[in-house]
Structures are given as C-alpha cells and as structure tokens.
Amino acid sequence: GLGRGLGRGRGLSPRVGTILLSPGPGWSCRAVLDEGHQRTVRRVAWSPCGSYLASASFDATTCIWKKQEDGFECVTTLEGHENEVKSVAWAPSGTLLATCSRDKSVWVWEVDEEEEYECVSVLNSHTQDVKHVVWHPNQELLASASYDDTVKLYHEEEDDWVCCATLEGHESTVWSVAFDRSGERLASCSDDKTVRIWRQYKPGNDEGVVCSGTDPTWKCICNLSGYHTRTIYDVAWCHLTGALATACGDDAIRVFEESASSDPQQPTFSLAAHNSPDWAVTLHCSASVLRTSVEAEPSRKKRPRVSFSRHMSLMARAVFPVSFLE
Amino acid sequence: MASPFSGVLQLTDLDDYIGPSQECIKPVKVEKKPGKAAAKIRIEADGSYFQINQDGGAQKLEKAKITLNDCLACSGCITSAESVLITQQSHEELCKMLTFNKTATPNEQKLVVVSVSPQSRASLAARCKMSVLETAKKLTAFLKSVHYVFDTTFSRNFSLLESQQEFVKRFRKQSEDKKALPMLASACPGWICYAEKTHGSFIIPYISTTKSPQQVMGSLIKGHFAEQQHLTPDQIYHVTVMPCYDKKLEASRPDFFNQEYQTRDVDCVITTGEVLKLLEQEGVSLSDVDPAPLDTMFGSAAELTSHAGGGSGGYLEHIYKYAAKELFGIQVDTIQYKPLKNKDFQEVTLEKDGVVLLQFALAYGFRNIQNLVQKLKRGKSPYHYVEVMACPSGCLNGGGQIKLDGESSKDQLQQVERLYESLKTEIPEKNRTVNELYEQWLGGVESEKAAKALHTEYHAVEKTSTGFNIKW
C-alpha cells in the first residue's frame, strides 16, 4: 500500500475533539491529539527526522509534538504570533522551523540539542496575511506566500534573517508555493487562478539576467493560466517525476507535466488527461472539511496515477492542500 | 502607508483590515427600560433613529460616542487612533503653536519649551556634518521663537538614579516577592505598550516604575519650572524631540495627563526627521545658522555631557555599577559585555570566588524581547536586570532618526554612535543641579513627591477575541 517502506506517516489536521476517519486499507488511526490547541489546526508538518510533529493553529500557537512509544507528547508550545498561525514548515537541516500568520509576519525558530526553541528572527516584510511558508529543498532559504499578492524569499545575513527577494506578478492572494527538486525553480498558485513558475538567476548568469549585489534574482518564466476556474489553494511539485499538482476551488485536482522539449528558460507545462485510465488517485479525507490529501503512487512507469473518487462529492468545495508522497 | 512605529509595537495586533465586527468593540451603555423585549425602530429621512414604544410614542435614540482615550485603551481598531495621534503631534502642530503665539494676547500666549534628546541631536549632527555641541547651539538659535531649549540628558539623571535605587530595593526583597526580579527597564514606550497589551498582568510587576527621561522632563517643566516662571502648567507648551514615534504614544498616556490643569506633561513629540522637515520647510541649512548660547538652567552651559553605557541611556551600566558597590562592596570601573546569540542580546556577569552575584542583560529588538519573556514565563530566566529596548541597536537606531542617503545603514549608525559618544560622561550622583532639585523641587530623595513625580504605573490592556474575524 501507500507509504509502505518509506518510514513516514501522514499527519492529518484534527479539529478539537474530532475522531479521524480510517480512510482505507493499510491506514489506521494511531492517535488523536486533541489537547494542544483551542482552535482550528491549520497545518501540520513532520520534522525531517520523523520524530517530531509541528501543528500550527488559529489559536496563535504552534505545538511541537514528540513521537513516543505510546503516542505523542507536546514538548513545547511556540507563542508570539499575534493571531492565527497559518502555516509551519521544518527546514531540511531539522534545526530550523518557520511559522507565518495573519499578523503579517514570518518567524524563524531554532531548536537546540536540549529541545529548547528560540525565536531567531521576526520578519515583517509582507504587508498582509501570510498564508504559507516553505523551505528550499537543500539551502537555508525560506519562501512565503501572502494575501499581499507576493512571494518573498528570506535568508540569513550576519546575525539576522532578511528578505532577499520579492516575487511580484500575481494579481491576487498567493496561497501556496512549492520548490522543484533542485530548488532552482519555484511554483506559486493564487486566487488569480494562475500558477506561475519562477526561476533563480545567480549573479554572473549566462542568460544575462541582471542581479543586484550577491543576491540571485527570481524571474517569472511561465504562467499557467486558463486551466483553473476558481482560486488555486495549493500546489505541489513532485520531486520524483517533476509533475505539478494543484488543488482548486472548482473541486478539481489537476496534474501538469512539463513538455519533453521544454526550454529551461521558458518551460511549457500541459495538463495531463483527467479521465485517462492510466491515472488513479486515492483521496484520504479527514472529518475536517479543510483537509484532503492526494497521494500519487509513483509507479514503475514513473508516472503518478491520479483519479477522482466519489468521496470528492461529499467534501466541501475547496480541495486543499495537496502534496506528493515521496 | 507603512507604520513608522517600532517593530515591537507594530506586531501588537494592528490589522489594517477592519472587518464589520471589528469596527468598534467598546460597549456602549444604554438605559434599559423594563417591559416587552422587542422594540421597533424607525429611521427618519435625515438618518436619525427613533424607537417606537408600545404606546405609539417615539423616542429619539442617541448616537454612540467613543472618546480617543477609550480608543487608545482598547486593542481593537487602534490603527485609526494612532493615525489620529500622529496628526495631533507633529512639527506642523509646533508651527501652529508658534504662529498662534505671535498674534495671541499675553494672557493667551504659551511659554514654549523644547527638550531635545541626545540621540536626536547626534542624528542631526551626523546629517549636518557637525559636532554635537555645534548642532546644539545652532538648533537653539534656529528655534528662536521657542523660549527655552533643554537637553533630556539632564532629566535622564533622575531616571538613572531612581532606577538604581529601585533595583537595590527589589534585590533586597526578592525572597519575599517572587516578582521583584528580574527588573525590566521602563524607558522604552514601544516595549511598555507591547508588554501591557500582550503579556499584561504577568509581566507588569517586573517592569521598573521609574519614568523615562522624557516624562521626568515633563514633570519637571510642568511642575517646578512652571512654578519658577510663575505660570500654571497649562500655560507652557512642552515639546520634546525624540528618535522614535513610540514616544508620541508615551506622551499621550493618561498617567501623564494633569487633570487639574487639563494639560499633558509633554504636549507634543516630534521626531528627529520632523525637525529636519521643519528646517527644510523654512529653507534653512542648520550648518549656516549662527550658533546661540545654550540655555543654562538645567545642565552646564560650558559643555554638553552624556552618560556612559550606550545610546539607549546606559541603564544597565549605571544600575550594575551601583548595585555592585551597594550590595557587595565591589567597585566596577569597566563592564565586560558578552554578546550571545546576536549583537542585540548581551550579558554581563559579576562573579566573586566562582559565585555569580549579579547577572544582567541587554535585550534589544523584538526577537530578543520575545525570547526573554518566553524564558521568564517558563521560569528559566537567570537575570536580575534586563535593559529592554524595542529597536535593534537601541535608541540611536530609532524609527524617527534621520536616514542619510548614499550610505549603508551600518555606516550611518556607526557615525551617529561616534558623535553620541564624543561627549564627556558624567555620573548622575555628582550633578549639583540634580541634587539641588531633589531638595528644592521634591523635598528629598525618598519623599512622596519624588515618588509621584518620578515614578509611574502600567495597565494591562484587555484582549478581545472576536470569532468573526477569521480570514482563511
């Protein structure tokens, strides 16, 4: 079944007191963590080592849970955001964590060997609600998506974190971002019904893109528009196959593939067929209306299989969020 | 418009988007008449509301009114109140007052006093490429329609002395009072507003009750100085020049409002940047102005002095040295600061025979304040005193300081620091005028008058949680 042999479970976002459904064969509910938060849990994230789970909540806190033999224990609660925390993400190094909130800020936290968490930086670059934060796959570079229509990137400079790039172009709220496997490209999805692909150009690049100082410049190299009829809430970039999946308010999941003859500076993506028998997806739905997850099984043919189950019609309008199992 | 307030203040629940349920959360008291529940309301053509009673009679309904003070105390839509505040306190207001004075009758005229902070002066000196002394003299000359120009370094002596005394008292009673230590600095209004709103009654007991130099000057000018000039407090218009905008909020605190004479201790706060705007408006280049002698009443005319311990006032430095002497008989001449995670978080330790006697820290900027408070909440703070400031790098880097073009902010700050530190430092205890004032104005160091004039209190702000303002 899915997830077998990969050593990672799936964190589902529980609402207080909600019992998780057993969604299908091979999956059973291991624990219900209902004593950490007072309001909606908006996002969960596993640490790279797999021993910790971070949960971001509308109660303005982020809980860190440690996996024990007989369940999970809340080892600490990160406070400081003024209001709803919208997202949480672990850096690949495992010692840094990022959170973002409706209070317009992005916080970077550091954890030491004694499991003590400290705030390393509070970034106030966005001018509106920050919806999502995502780390670069192999660098300590952080991306955030906001209601202010931009994506911002951050890195450490001397003893503080700074915003090193702002990606402008979307005409409305940016709901999510995803890096490709190499981290050279970033995909962002928005309320403006488009997905944009951005590429990093380092100083001295061959393409002649101008950079200021030592920071790379990010340029929009592709705009996928006309495919979605409503807000796109989430985007995921498969690190195995390079396919892009989107979760949209028009009740559909779409998968895009990059054309074989695609120019790296101007890539083209096409929508993979929906009804093709080659595509099958299993939807795991939790009782919480906000969360469904799409798991695309990497088959031997190296093509994710996507299909739409009847379950979808019972769910709320928004399909949100989407991620690829690796 | 990007908020000019310190980062710490900006994070205190300011949301520019005001949803329908957030417009105003102040409850309005209405006279409730006993009787049947449902009332009918009729709206007239002119927009006024009438309640129709059971017997058919109509009653005009009053409009709900909220005062600015109500607004400032609530954590709901304070963004709008703050912008009202900024417009009420600006260099334009000062100009209006000076213009008014020119044509007013002697009865209506106000004595205008300007108190300049040393940080603002250093920033102006850097911008105009002059020494701080030259800057002070030329600024005095420029503000010629102002009657007196003073330096808040003078009132800072009181803040330092009172903080020293307060710390030693708290240290001595730490076994009886669990919240005596750590004592947290009180001069920064960005920190105070954040503390009151976000941590309220948990953190307030730790905060020093000593007033900031701005407010001590306010008490001095509207109290002793007014008396000396044979004026009532409301006949003086007291302006301060400060390195940040948060000081404007401090000046409008109800605790610093004189009820009897209906006047504030500090009427108007203008930032260093606003002074520059004033200069530009008048088409004056400060370096071209002929210097005027400094006002001698508070402080010495011969030379300007400063205090040791950095651009934010030197609270840690003074309290540490005083406490070491007073509590342990140890004379400290130079302090070794140990930077921790970042340059805005530094530690100072007094050790003897391997035992830690005093452990102090500097915590500037929001992330360090955040970590400090969280450690305190978990009972893991090892400090006896922390000099807390909202702005990274302290007051010299305040939000109201002048930004120089063409230079990196790091170089600019270094220039301002150098100018600030170019003055000779003095020890508060040795200032003769300060000692005289303790006697003449306050009737002694431990007097009730001193406690009232030099100390203040803090108020936790009630948080309101409205479930309606969720934005997915």
Side-chain angles (χ1 to χ4, degrees), chain A residues 39 42 58 79-80 82 86 102 104 107 110 116 118-120 122 124 131 159-160 175 290, chain B residues 11 13-16 198 341-343 366-367 370-371 374-375 378 380 469-472:
Chain A
R39 285 176 66 188
R42 177 59 170 291
F58 277 17
E79 292 180 358
E82 261 309 302
K86 301 290 177 96
R102 178 168 71 82
K104 306 175 202 166
W107 290 44
E110 192 172 51
E116 291 279 324
E118 268 202 354
C119 168
V120 158
V122 175
N124 290 310
K131 303 291 189 187
D159 66 357
D160 202 358
W175 277 96
L290 283 188
Chain B
L11 281 163
D13 211 355
L14 302 180
D15 189 348
D16 288 325
T198 313
K341 288 187 146 283
N342 56 70
K343 59 170 162 50
F366 188 62
R367 58 183 170 160
Q370 181 60 23
N371 289 328
Q374 291 306 318
K375 273 219 173 97
R378 296 201 300 265
K380 290 193 172 167
N469 55 8
I470 295 179
K471 277 159 65 182
W472 296 96

Side-chain angles (χ1 to χ4, degrees), chain A residues 34-61:
Chain A
D34 56 8
E35 259 155 1
H37 291 295
Q38 266 70 63
R39 285 176 66 188
T40 300
V41 181
R42 177 59 170 291
R43 192 171 294 266
V44 288
W46 288 104
S47 65
C49 65
S51 308
Y52 299 90
L53 183 68
S55 57
S57 167
F58 277 17
D59 66 7
T61 70

